[in-house]
Amino acid sequence: MTPAPKARSARNTTTDRTLEILSLFSDTRLSISVADLVAELGVSRSSAYRYLQSLIRHQFLESAPDGSLRLGMRVLDLARLARVGYGISELAVPEMRSLAAEHRATVILTSLIGRSVVCLEREEWPGQFVRLSYAPGLELPVNAGASALVLLAWKSRADVEKLLDRPLTKFTTNTLTDVPEIFERLATIRDEGHAISFAEVDTAALGIAVPVRGPDDSVAAALSIVSLKTPVPDTQLTRALEDLHRAAGRISERLRRAA
């Protein structure tokens, strides 16, 4: 009777190790060498190769031109399926395209997944010369930017405290890292019904975000216009907010009907 628990433990250890390997990748670390991987995991080279062979075989990892390892095509497939499975993307994309064309800017859809703010979708005006780095699947800062703050604003205080219980990066002089100040900002966002941010993550980037509500009226996502064209006239800002609220309302209604 004793071998079965040991076998389960071994399988769990292997699963944990493979997930640890995938978790080493980030926006600032798109590839990793085997030597670094061995050092960070604290395993032998032979054990590391065993985990890597399995990940490469199933296309979760692949070799980069410089001999290091990078995420493979299977990860991209899963990211796509996750966005489709989440449901809101396919309902939001037509509205996002219209907003991008109307305001000649980048429009993003973000949501809280676990403790992370994740970009679900991005639509760009085709005439943009400068591209903003908001790719689908990208994890965004939790403490900065209009889209992230809208997602936090209607959460309970306890939930927000958990989300902010980590080292908070100060990207620019406008980035808030003081938790009490962030709570004050969230209260203002709730009162106004939207968030406007300037140069909180990307220098000179203006973000305008409104909540998208799910069938239970909770905030399911944030719909945002992000622009590098500053300053923005008050009339243009007002029009952007009105268009965002209308688009978010239509997406919310579709979510309620789909539930």
Side-chain angles (χ1 to χ4, degrees):
M1 299 294 291
T2 54
K6 289 181 180 178
R8 282 196 297 272
S9 176
R11 285 199 298 273
N12 289 339
T13 299
T14 301
T15 301
D16 290 342
R17 286 300 192 191
T18 54
L19 291 175
E20 283 181 50
I21 292 171
L22 294 175
S23 297
L24 292 175
F25 293 90
S26 67
D27 291 340
T28 57
R29 194 179 203 179
L30 300 178
S31 63
I32 185 171
S33 69
V34 175
D36 286 344
L37 188 147
V38 169
E40 294 193 36
L41 291 183
V43 298
S44 66
R45 185 171 286 268
S46 60
S47 295
Y49 273 115
R50 186 170 67 251
Y51 302 134
L52 293 175
Q53 285 170 357
S54 178
L55 287 167
I56 292 170
R57 184 168 62 252
H58 292 285
Q59 296 185 307
F60 285 97
L61 292 179
E62 64 182 25
S63 295
D66 63 358
S68 62
L69 295 164
R70 64 187 180 191
L71 294 174
M73 295 302 297
R74 184 57 180 152
V75 175
L76 294 177
D77 289 339
L78 290 176
R80 178 185 59 80
L81 291 172
R83 294 199 305 276
V84 172
Y86 196 76
I88 193 170
S89 292
E90 59 189 8
L91 300 178
V93 164
E95 296 288 347
M96 294 172 66
R97 286 176 182 160
S98 295
L99 286 169
E102 178 67 22
H103 293 274
R104 299 187 174 189
T106 298
V107 179
I108 63 172
L109 183 74
T110 56
S111 183
L112 272 171
I113 300 178
R115 297 183 71 234
S116 300
V117 175
V118 177
C119 178
L120 298 178
E121 297 292 342
R122 176 194 65 192
E123 290 294 330
E124 294 179 320
W125 176 53
Q128 282 181 247
F129 292 105
V130 179
R131 304 293 179 184
L132 293 166
S133 56
Y134 294 105
L138 178 69
E139 183 176 348
L140 304 175
V142 74
N143 62 305
S147 59
L149 296 177
V150 158
L151 293 172
L152 268 59
W154 282 270
K155 290 285 183 185
S156 70
R157 187 178 185 90
D159 285 343
V160 175
E161 286 175 344
K162 289 178 183 177
L163 289 166
L164 298 177
D165 186 19
R166 67 181 85 177
L168 301 176
T169 302
K170 193 169 185 66
F171 298 93
T172 72
T173 55
N174 292 343
T175 306
L176 292 181
T177 55
D178 180 72
V179 174
E181 287 186 7
I182 294 175
F183 273 109
E184 289 180 14
R185 177 83 179 281
L186 297 180
T188 300
I189 292 170
R190 283 195 302 275
D191 290 341
E192 296 180 346
H194 61 261
I196 298 175
S197 64
F198 176 68
E200 291 185 8
V201 181
D202 296 307
T203 303
L206 173 73
I208 312 166
V210 301
V212 175
R213 297 188 177 274
D216 60 354
D217 204 41
S218 64
V219 175
L223 184 65
S224 311
I225 291 176
V226 186
S227 174
L228 290 175
K229 185 182 178 182
T230 55
V232 175
D234 289 344
T235 54
Q236 186 177 337
L237 191 61
T238 299
R239 187 167 62 87
L241 278 169
E242 291 173 349
D243 288 349
L244 274 170
H245 277 295
R246 280 193 288 266
R250 288 190 289 266
I251 298 168
S252 299
E253 179 60 28
R254 290 169 192 157
L255 282 172
R256 284 190 286 271
R257 290 177 181 174

